[in-house]
Short mmCIF file of all heavy atoms in Angstrom, two decimals:
data_model
loop_
_atom_site.label_atom_id
_atom_site.label_comp_id
_atom_site.label_asym_id
_atom_site.label_seq_id
_atom_site.Cartn_x
_atom_site.Cartn_y
_atom_site.Cartn_z
N TYR A 379 103.27 51.50 116.86
CA TYR A 379 102.54 52.34 115.91
C TYR A 379 101.13 52.59 116.43
O TYR A 379 100.54 51.70 117.04
CB TYR A 379 102.48 51.68 114.53
CG TYR A 379 103.71 51.93 113.72
CD1 TYR A 379 104.71 50.96 113.61
CD2 TYR A 379 103.90 53.14 113.07
CE1 TYR A 379 105.86 51.20 112.87
CE2 TYR A 379 105.04 53.38 112.33
CZ TYR A 379 106.02 52.41 112.24
OH TYR A 379 107.16 52.67 111.51
N PRO A 380 100.58 53.79 116.21
CA PRO A 380 99.23 54.08 116.70
C PRO A 380 98.24 53.05 116.14
O PRO A 380 98.29 52.73 114.96
CB PRO A 380 98.91 55.46 116.12
CG PRO A 380 100.20 56.02 115.65
CD PRO A 380 101.14 54.90 115.43
N GLY A 381 97.43 52.51 117.01
CA GLY A 381 96.41 51.56 116.57
C GLY A 381 96.96 50.16 116.38
O GLY A 381 96.23 49.25 115.99
N SER A 382 98.26 49.97 116.65
CA SER A 382 98.84 48.63 116.48
C SER A 382 99.22 48.06 117.86
O SER A 382 99.51 48.80 118.79
CB SER A 382 100.06 48.73 115.58
OG SER A 382 100.91 47.64 115.79
N GLU A 383 99.18 46.75 117.98
CA GLU A 383 99.48 46.10 119.26
C GLU A 383 100.97 45.79 119.38
O GLU A 383 101.51 45.62 120.46
CB GLU A 383 98.71 44.76 119.35
CG GLU A 383 97.20 44.89 119.38
CD GLU A 383 96.69 45.54 120.66
OE1 GLU A 383 97.12 45.09 121.74
OE2 GLU A 383 95.92 46.51 120.58
N GLU A 384 101.61 45.73 118.19
CA GLU A 384 102.99 45.25 118.15
C GLU A 384 103.98 46.30 118.66
O GLU A 384 103.97 47.45 118.19
CB GLU A 384 103.31 44.89 116.69
CG GLU A 384 104.62 44.18 116.51
CD GLU A 384 105.03 44.14 115.04
OE1 GLU A 384 104.26 44.63 114.19
OE2 GLU A 384 106.12 43.62 114.77
N THR A 385 104.80 45.90 119.61
CA THR A 385 105.83 46.82 120.09
C THR A 385 107.04 46.70 119.18
O THR A 385 107.58 45.61 118.99
CB THR A 385 106.24 46.44 121.54
OG1 THR A 385 105.07 46.50 122.33
CG2 THR A 385 107.27 47.39 122.09
N ILE A 386 107.43 47.83 118.58
CA ILE A 386 108.57 47.79 117.65
C ILE A 386 109.88 47.89 118.43
O ILE A 386 110.82 47.16 118.16
CB ILE A 386 108.47 48.92 116.60
CG1 ILE A 386 107.08 48.96 115.95
CG2 ILE A 386 109.54 48.78 115.54
CD1 ILE A 386 106.71 47.81 115.06
N PHE A 387 109.91 48.81 119.41
CA PHE A 387 111.10 48.95 120.27
C PHE A 387 110.66 48.99 121.71
O PHE A 387 109.64 49.61 122.01
CB PHE A 387 111.83 50.28 120.03
CG PHE A 387 112.35 50.40 118.65
CD1 PHE A 387 111.80 51.29 117.76
CD2 PHE A 387 113.40 49.60 118.24
CE1 PHE A 387 112.27 51.40 116.47
CE2 PHE A 387 113.88 49.70 116.95
CZ PHE A 387 113.32 50.60 116.08
N SER A 388 111.42 48.36 122.59
CA SER A 388 111.15 48.65 123.99
C SER A 388 112.46 49.02 124.67
O SER A 388 113.43 48.26 124.67
CB SER A 388 110.45 47.47 124.68
OG SER A 388 111.14 46.29 124.41
N ASN A 389 112.43 50.24 125.16
CA ASN A 389 113.52 50.72 126.00
C ASN A 389 114.89 50.68 125.32
O ASN A 389 115.82 50.10 125.88
CB ASN A 389 113.52 49.83 127.27
CG ASN A 389 114.07 50.59 128.44
OD1 ASN A 389 114.21 51.82 128.38
ND2 ASN A 389 114.43 49.88 129.50
N ILE A 390 115.01 51.28 124.16
CA ILE A 390 116.34 51.28 123.55
C ILE A 390 117.02 52.64 123.71
O ILE A 390 116.37 53.68 123.74
CB ILE A 390 116.34 50.87 122.06
CG1 ILE A 390 115.59 51.89 121.20
CG2 ILE A 390 115.80 49.47 121.83
CD1 ILE A 390 115.95 51.75 119.74
N SER A 391 118.35 52.59 123.86
CA SER A 391 119.11 53.82 124.03
C SER A 391 120.36 53.75 123.15
O SER A 391 121.02 52.71 123.11
CB SER A 391 119.57 53.97 125.48
OG SER A 391 118.46 53.97 126.33
N PHE A 392 120.62 54.81 122.43
CA PHE A 392 121.88 54.94 121.69
C PHE A 392 122.04 56.39 121.30
O PHE A 392 121.12 57.19 121.49
CB PHE A 392 121.88 54.03 120.44
CG PHE A 392 120.88 54.43 119.39
CD1 PHE A 392 121.24 55.31 118.35
CD2 PHE A 392 119.59 53.93 119.40
CE1 PHE A 392 120.32 55.68 117.37
CE2 PHE A 392 118.66 54.29 118.43
CZ PHE A 392 119.03 55.16 117.42
N SER A 393 123.23 56.72 120.82
CA SER A 393 123.40 58.12 120.42
C SER A 393 124.20 58.22 119.13
O SER A 393 124.89 57.28 118.74
CB SER A 393 124.10 58.89 121.54
OG SER A 393 125.34 58.30 121.78
N ILE A 394 124.05 59.36 118.47
CA ILE A 394 124.84 59.67 117.28
C ILE A 394 125.55 60.99 117.61
O ILE A 394 124.88 61.99 117.88
CB ILE A 394 123.97 59.89 116.03
CG1 ILE A 394 122.83 58.87 115.95
CG2 ILE A 394 124.81 59.87 114.78
CD1 ILE A 394 121.76 59.21 114.91
N ASN A 395 126.87 60.95 117.62
CA ASN A 395 127.58 62.17 117.96
C ASN A 395 127.53 63.17 116.80
O ASN A 395 127.38 62.76 115.64
CB ASN A 395 129.04 61.85 118.30
CG ASN A 395 129.11 60.95 119.52
OD1 ASN A 395 128.32 61.11 120.46
ND2 ASN A 395 130.00 59.97 119.49
N ALA A 396 127.68 64.43 117.15
CA ALA A 396 127.64 65.47 116.12
C ALA A 396 128.69 65.17 115.06
O ALA A 396 129.84 64.87 115.39
CB ALA A 396 127.88 66.84 116.76
N GLY A 397 128.29 65.22 113.81
CA GLY A 397 129.23 65.03 112.69
C GLY A 397 129.55 63.58 112.39
O GLY A 397 130.25 63.28 111.42
N GLU A 398 129.02 62.68 113.19
CA GLU A 398 129.35 61.27 113.01
C GLU A 398 128.39 60.61 112.00
O GLU A 398 127.27 61.04 111.84
CB GLU A 398 129.19 60.59 114.38
CG GLU A 398 129.53 59.13 114.42
CD GLU A 398 129.23 58.53 115.80
OE1 GLU A 398 128.16 58.84 116.36
OE2 GLU A 398 130.06 57.77 116.29
N THR A 399 128.86 59.52 111.37
CA THR A 399 127.97 58.71 110.55
C THR A 399 127.70 57.41 111.27
O THR A 399 128.62 56.66 111.58
CB THR A 399 128.59 58.41 109.17
OG1 THR A 399 128.78 59.63 108.48
CG2 THR A 399 127.69 57.50 108.34
N LEU A 400 126.42 57.20 111.57
CA LEU A 400 126.04 55.96 112.26
C LEU A 400 125.27 55.09 111.27
O LEU A 400 124.30 55.54 110.67
CB LEU A 400 125.16 56.27 113.47
CG LEU A 400 124.70 55.03 114.25
CD1 LEU A 400 125.80 54.52 115.16
CD2 LEU A 400 123.44 55.32 115.06
#
Side-chain angles (χ1 to χ4, degrees):
Y379 277 100
S382 158
E383 296 292 311
E384 189 193 358
T385 302
I386 310 292
F387 298 110
S388 49
N389 208 14
I390 64 162
S391 302
F392 66 91
S393 60
I394 319 168
N395 297 323
E398 182 184 44
T399 297
L400 179 80

